[in-house]
Amino acid sequence: MIIMKFGGTSMENAAALSRLAEIVADRRPDRPVIVVSAMAGITDRLVELASLALTGAEIYLAQALEALEKRHLEALRQIGGESEARQKIEGLCRSLRELLQGIAAVGELTPRTRDAVLSFGERLSPTLAVAALRAHGLAAHELDTRHFIVTDNQFNQAQPLYDEIQPQVQQELLPAAGDGSSDNSPLAVMGGFIGATRQGVTTTLGRGGSDFSAAILGAALNAERIEIWTDVNGMLTTDPRICPTALRIKHISFAEAAESAYYGAKVLHPATLLPAMQKNIPVWILNSRAWLPGRPDGERTGTLVSSHAPRSNTLFKCISCKRGIALVDVVSTRMLMAHGYMKAIFDAFARQSCPVDMVATSEVSVSLTVADTANLPEIADELSRFAEVRYQGKMAILCMVGENIRYRPGVAARVFDALKHINIRMISQGASEINIGVVIADEDVPAAIESLHRAFFQDPDPAIFGIESSAQAVLGSN
Ligand code: ASP
Ligand code: MG
């Protein structure tokens, strides 16, 4: 059994949906369970619809809703969907309209209601995928993910309750996904991103969460592999918009991919990897616009993420960057040798629910970076009671990731040599020993990446990197 997850761009219109059906047909012997995102852009539209409802912009709201419904119905018409599917889409759009009218009437949008609104993208899209599969001659049926993905009630960012998911998946999903004994057992199709609390209230796993759904289900089903279908040829060594010579990575370890995803690589949702990593299930990132039949092998396209990637002669796997962050310096001589100093600093960030990314300390100063700068003035205010605080926005973290650096001396010297023209504001070599991070001014990012890529990927190991032109490989989002 395998999981195939199709992102928004792999669902964006009738042409994409037909491709999806062809790809699934090719994988039919592997008994796929299919997880789909909302059509590209739909979740963003739903966010807008919710705020239109809140501001009482009735005419715009009606127009936007109509456009959303039309987009789904038009795709369905083009793939030759049945009238039952049409009714289903119309029914869902009616419920969405009622929900938005409710939001307009009470003038309030709670996180719980927001999740209800956002869930419609992934409740509408499986109907399209099922219609596309049937049009292609494949038996398929839609399952409601919310029966399987049981979560806590942290709306907008709900956490899966694995102990409850496991029995649900075994009892309900497994029989419905077919036992593989016949070629005609219908394929199970369901929306990603959404779940429900024990009481059955709809939740979402956070933006980009469909990958996470795929991994949760893959782990619960002990899938042979998880295929994440997107619109790029896999993970690349760096952002090709900044560095056109970026290369496809054929094989990367979970640890490396998680590190680089956290620091800005957009192809994979960072949390995606956890359930797959725990169960040691290989994850493939594949391009639905340029797919090849047969079991993926990484030779011509795709990236394999697995527990162990083979050793390579190339020092780093990739250079990722997280832009638009802020660097905060906290200095206090009063706290010299005193205990509890770090705690006091981090408490100030925690109280404002502000995650800290990178940290470097000396006895009297602590430098750290945050991506979310909204509450920095409040945090600085609190810290200024016992320390001197400076913060500066428009910064970026560059993160060079690779398991090979663990055993090689002189790596830092080579990094600094490549960056010798750039003002480095902070350095961190993580405890995992597989990444080196530097903080630089955001405006220096293109020059720094260009220079690092030239220094470290001039002679890429062909066992690990695809040497095809990266011109077609643009960095995607789904
Ligand atoms: N549709 C959701 C989003 O846009 C989830 C996903 O696509 O992964 O965030
Ligand atoms: Mg995505």
Side-chain angles (χ1 to χ4, degrees), residues 24-32 183:
V24 172
D26 181 67
R27 272 30 179 192
R28 187 73 186 87
D30 293 333
R31 297 171 56 209
D183 272 358

Side-chain angles (χ1 to χ4, degrees), residues 88 101 137 319 328-329 348 428 436 475:
K88 177 132 204 238
Q101 280 163 354
I319 306 166
V328 186
D329 291 314
S428 141
I436 296 180
L475 202 71

Side-chain angles (χ1 to χ4, degrees), residues 2-26:
I2 64 170
I3 304 282
M4 300 179 77
K5 178 259 166 175
F6 292 89
T9 50
S10 304
M11 300 279 299
E12 65 188 347
N13 51 30
L17 286 158
S18 313
R19 261 191 325 261
L20 173 150
E22 282 173 38
I23 299 169
V24 172
D26 181 67

Side-chain angles (χ1 to χ4, degrees), residues 342-379:
M342 289 292 180
K343 180 172 187 302
I345 292 176
F346 286 102
D347 279 349
F349 285 87
R351 265 193 287 280
Q352 300 289 337
S353 307
C354 178
V356 171
D357 285 332
M358 214 186 234
V359 187
T361 73
S362 76
E363 184 62 38
V364 293
S365 85
V366 178
S367 297
L368 39 85
T369 69
V370 295
D372 178 3
T373 55
N375 296 334
L376 267 188
E378 284 85 355
I379 295 168

Side-chain angles (χ1 to χ4, degrees), residues 227-275:
E227 296 184 354
I228 305 279
W229 289 88
T230 175
D231 60 354
V232 292
N233 285 340
M235 288 180 76
L236 302 179
T237 48
T238 194
D239 186 339
R241 288 167 303 193
I242 296 176
C243 180
T245 52
L247 303 162
R248 174 173 60 91
I249 304 168
K250 290 181 182 174
H251 198 163
I252 189 167
S253 73
F254 280 125
E256 291 170 329
E259 207 78 55
S260 67
Y262 189 69
Y263 286 112
K266 302 227 170 35
V267 183
L268 267 189
H269 185 273
T272 298
L273 300 160
L274 284 173

